[in-house]
């Protein structure tokens, strides 16, 4: 299969997985919340947040390893692929074991500052232990996921992830048959649910791919060199999400924090969509860089920015225009501050992907040090200004607005400073990415505004807005956004899929 068709297949598989995962995720949360109660679910979420904050460095290393594996694949250096992948397998399996042991030992200490009402307070330590084991399974999966993404086996990885989503839903469903379920029960069921697919992934990849077998860690320095800088970018992301949440809690109180949390959850569903597509595009760009194909890197930078940013609009349209309706049906109320913050959060998530093609090119080229430092610096400046405005009496939405300004700053910085890396001048980016995106956004806004103006706020209107947004986005993308070559590749991929399905039949 050629590169263009493989990219389209991976993107399609990713969209399908995301659609199913969001449905399963919402249902899973609903069951767990109802069965554990508000206090119980909050206690579990707090314990989960504490544990998940700890392996940030390993997340950065995963991104670094994936880049080096994809680059070696593009350069047709099988020996380097085995050394980098095998090194990361060895490191991750060791880190998973150490992480579980540390959480087991430190659980009483970690649970001490957490707030929970009886009887959940007495069970926090045990829940932390189970969540630590679950997280160690996630750490153990990292090198195998990185390898599959680097070799662009996204469809296969999608199958594994769907298995895990179904298993997590099963863990929540187990609470329905438990009399008086506790946070420890839920943590234990979820750990088992994650452990089963993890064992399957490890066994499959170890048997199927020789590069996924542990080896002497000879590429630790190579992985760590880039991973350390990527950590700065991840820190910036944390500031824009959890950092803003802490600031709102400190400056405005718990009620406003709850409003922010609800909006953040909606925005993160949208972000998961773009992130999943990004992982299908990133290894293709890195492989092209490894082969020295500058023109291919340029084309992927343009196509990925268009594809991902416009794909995000499909989710952003309903979330922006039907915010109040969605919140009312989801949680039963829609305060004005919650609606405003949700729209700002969804807005900056939609804007951040306009320069994602430059980001993939930067990672492909390996020139990440200055970029990650600039990203973190822009975040610090914007959020410091936001906090200063909040202290001076500005409304609560000034903090998510600061995050939006930071994201705009990231885009301008990438387009202006890294045009050589993406082989894309600012003028070319504006005409080939920004202008088509603005056209689709205008079409989505017009259709959504017409439906909202003509119909009452009901589920029917919400469904029509969702369907209208998707149809308008698809139609305008094909007509306005895609050029002749991209339309040709799309039809080739569709015809190829049809032939393969006919062959299977």
């Amino acid at each position: 299969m050629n590169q263009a068709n493989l990219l389209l297949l991976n993107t399609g598989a990713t969209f399908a997985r995301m659609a199913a995962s969001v449905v399963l995720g919402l249902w899973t949360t609903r069951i767990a919340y109802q069965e554990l109660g508000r206090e119980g679910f909050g206690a579990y979420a707090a314990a989960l947040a504490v544990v998940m904050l700890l392996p940030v460095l390993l997340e950065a290393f995963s991104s670094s390893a994936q880049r080096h594996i994809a680059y070696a694949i593009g350069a047709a250096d099988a020996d380097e692929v085995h050394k980098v992948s095998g090194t990361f397998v060895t490191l991750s399996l060791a880190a998973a074991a150490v992480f579980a042991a540390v959480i087991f030992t430190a659980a009483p200490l970690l649970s001490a500052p957490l707030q929970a009402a009886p009887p959940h307070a007495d069970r926090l330590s045990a829940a932390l232990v189970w969540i630590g084991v679950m997280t160690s399974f996630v750490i153990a999966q990292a090198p195998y996921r990185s390898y599959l993404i680097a070799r662009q086996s996204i469809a296969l990885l999608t199958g594994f992830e769907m298995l895990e989503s179904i298993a997590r839903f099963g863990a929540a469903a187990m609470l329905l048959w438990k009399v008086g379920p506790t946070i420890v029960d839920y943590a234990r069921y979820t750990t088992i649910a994650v452990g089963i697919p993890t064992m399957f992934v490890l066994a499959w990849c170890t048997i199927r791919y020789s590069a996924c077998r542990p080896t002497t860690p000879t590429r630790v320095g190579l992985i760590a060199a880039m991973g350390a800088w990527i950590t700065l970018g991840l820190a910036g992301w944390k500031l824009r999400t959890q950092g803003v949440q802490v600031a709102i809690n400190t400056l405005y109180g718990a009620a406003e924090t709850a409003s922010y949390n609800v909006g953040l959850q909606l925005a993160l569903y949208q972000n998961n969509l773009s992130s999943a597509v990004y992982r299908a595009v990133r290894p293709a760009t890195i492989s092209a860089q490894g082969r020295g194909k500058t023109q291919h890197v340029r084309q992927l930078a343009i196509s990925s920015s268009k594809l991902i940013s416009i794909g995000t609009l499909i989710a952003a349209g309903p979330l922006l225009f039907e915010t109040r309706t969605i919140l009312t049906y989801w949680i039963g109320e829609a305060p004005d501050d919650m609606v405003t913050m949700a729209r700002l959060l969804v807005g900056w998530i939609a804007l951040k992907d306009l320069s994602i093609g430059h980001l993939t090119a930067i990672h492909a080229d390996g020139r990440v040090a200055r970029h990650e430092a600039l990203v973190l610096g822009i975040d610090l400046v914007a959020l410091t200004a936001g906090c200063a405005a909040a202290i001076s009496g500005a409304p609560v939405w000034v903090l998510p607005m600061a995050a939006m300004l930071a994201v705009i700053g990231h885009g301008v910085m990438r387009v202006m400073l890294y045009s050589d890396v993406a082989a894309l001048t600012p003028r070319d980016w504006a005409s080939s990415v920004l202008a088509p995106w603005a056209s689709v956004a205008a079409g989505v806004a017009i259709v959504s505004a017409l439906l909202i103006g003509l119909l009452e706020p009901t589920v029917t209107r919400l469904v029509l807005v969702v369907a209208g947004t998707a149809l308008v986005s698809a139609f305008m993308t094909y007509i306005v956004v895609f050029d002749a070559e991209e339309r040709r590749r799309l039809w080739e991929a569709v015809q190829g899929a049809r032939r393969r399905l006919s062959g299977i039949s």
Side-chain angles (χ1 to χ4, degrees):
M1 187 184 299
N2 65 39
Q3 186 65 52
N5 288 351
L6 180 60
L7 181 59
L8 287 169
L9 173 64
N10 287 338
T11 302
T14 300
F15 270 113
R17 195 269 299 176
M18 282 302 303
S21 296
V22 167
V23 173
L24 286 171
L26 289 170
W27 201 356
T28 298
T29 300
R30 179 182 177 88
I31 293 173
Y33 187 90
Q34 290 179 343
E35 294 302 311
L36 295 175
R38 184 175 183 180
E39 288 289 339
F41 187 80
Y44 177 82
L48 180 64
V50 167
V51 175
M52 293 303 292
L53 280 172
L54 301 178
V56 174
L57 186 61
L58 290 170
E59 293 175 20
F61 278 28
S62 180
S63 180
S64 174
Q66 182 192 128
R67 183 268 175 194
H68 291 299
I69 294 169
Y71 192 92
I73 289 174
D77 190 343
D79 182 60
E80 183 67 9
V81 171
H82 184 262
K83 288 179 179 178
V84 175
S85 183
T87 294
F88 192 40
V89 169
T90 302
L91 289 177
S92 295
L93 294 179
V98 171
F99 188 86
V102 168
I103 297 298
F104 180 83
T105 304
L109 181 63
L110 292 172
S111 64
L114 297 179
Q115 301 298 316
H120 308 296
D122 297 333
R123 298 181 176 124
L124 278 172
S125 183
L128 277 166
V129 171
W130 280 107
I131 294 172
V133 175
M134 178 188 67
T135 306
S136 71
F137 284 136
V138 175
I139 293 171
Q141 289 180 16
Y144 305 97
R145 288 174 176 268
S146 294
Y147 178 77
L148 291 175
I149 293 172
R151 71 189 306 272
Q152 301 181 61
S153 298
I154 306 298
L156 177 59
L157 181 59
T158 295
F160 291 146
E161 290 176 337
M162 280 304 304
L163 177 62
E164 183 173 315
S165 295
I166 294 169
R168 285 177 179 269
F169 171 73
M174 288 290 292
L175 299 176
L176 297 170
W177 283 272
K178 179 76 174 180
V179 177
T182 67
I183 59 174
V184 178
D185 294 322
Y186 187 43
R188 180 170 62 250
Y189 296 153
T190 305
T191 299
I192 295 171
V194 173
I196 293 173
T198 298
M199 293 298 104
F200 183 67
V201 169
L202 267 62
W204 171 274
C205 291
T206 301
I207 295 171
R208 180 72 177 80
Y209 306 111
S210 61
C212 287
R213 295 163 192 167
T215 187
T216 303
T218 58
R219 293 294 185 268
V220 176
L222 182 71
I223 295 172
M226 178 178 284
W229 289 110
I230 293 176
T231 302
L232 295 180
L234 289 176
W237 170 261
K238 295 289 185 182
L239 280 175
R240 274 175 273 132
T241 51
Q242 282 81 21
V244 169
Q245 178 179 345
V246 172
I248 288 175
N249 184 266
T250 302
L251 298 172
Y252 294 97
E256 300 292 1
T257 306
S259 294
Y260 175 84
N261 267 321
V262 169
L264 182 62
Q265 186 171 348
L266 290 175
L268 288 182
Y269 278 128
Q270 176 194 7
N271 181 68
N272 289 343
L273 181 68
S274 62
S275 296
V277 179
Y278 169 66
R279 75 178 186 179
V281 176
R282 185 172 183 261
T285 306
I286 295 171
S287 295
Q289 184 74 35
R291 294 192 297 270
K293 295 187 175 181
T294 303
Q295 188 58 34
H296 195 189
V297 171
R298 169 189 164 84
Q299 186 57 49
L300 283 170
I302 295 173
S303 297
S304 61
S305 291
K306 291 193 297 187
L307 177 67
I308 297 176
S309 61
I310 291 172
T312 306
L313 281 178
I314 297 174
L319 292 175
L320 286 170
F321 288 94
E322 286 283 24
T323 314
R324 196 174 298 277
T325 303
I326 291 171
L327 291 173
T328 300
Y329 281 106
W330 181 28
I331 63 171
E333 61 178 2
D336 290 341
D337 60 337
M338 184 184 294
V339 172
T340 301
M341 284 195 285
R343 286 173 174 163
L344 287 170
L345 287 161
V346 169
W348 77 252
I349 291 292
L351 290 172
K352 77 179 181 63
D353 293 324
L354 283 168
S355 61
I356 202 165
H358 287 75
L359 179 61
T360 58
I362 291 165
H363 280 206
D365 189 64
R367 204 185 305 177
V368 298
R370 183 178 69 156
H371 173 265
E372 301 301 311
L374 286 172
V375 167
L376 180 58
I378 291 170
D379 287 328
L380 286 171
V381 170
L383 295 177
T384 299
C387 288
I391 293 172
S392 300
V396 65
W397 53 259
V398 71
L399 287 166
M401 174 62 79
M404 177 180 283
L405 293 175
V407 166
I408 294 172
H410 298 162
V412 173
M413 176 267 293
R414 289 185 188 121
V415 170
M416 299 303 296
L417 298 184
Y418 292 93
S419 59
D420 61 322
V421 179
L424 188 63
T425 67
R427 183 183 295 274
D428 289 341
W429 172 82
S431 62
S432 59
V433 177
L434 183 60
W437 179 87
S439 298
V440 177
V444 168
I446 291 170
V447 170
S448 299
L450 285 173
L451 290 171
I452 291 171
L454 294 172
L455 302 174
E456 293 296 321
T458 61
V459 173
T460 300
R461 190 182 77 176
L462 176 59
V463 171
L464 288 174
V465 170
V466 171
T469 297
L471 290 174
V472 169
S473 298
F475 176 76
M476 293 192 67
T477 297
Y478 186 78
I479 299 298
V480 178
V481 178
F482 283 177
D483 57 28
E485 178 63 17
E486 287 168 331
R487 285 194 287 269
R488 184 186 66 80
R489 290 175 180 173
L490 176 62
W491 279 111
E492 281 184 356
V494 171
Q495 294 299 322
R498 183 183 62 78
R499 287 192 295 268
R500 283 190 292 275
L501 290 174
S502 298
I504 293 172
S505 299

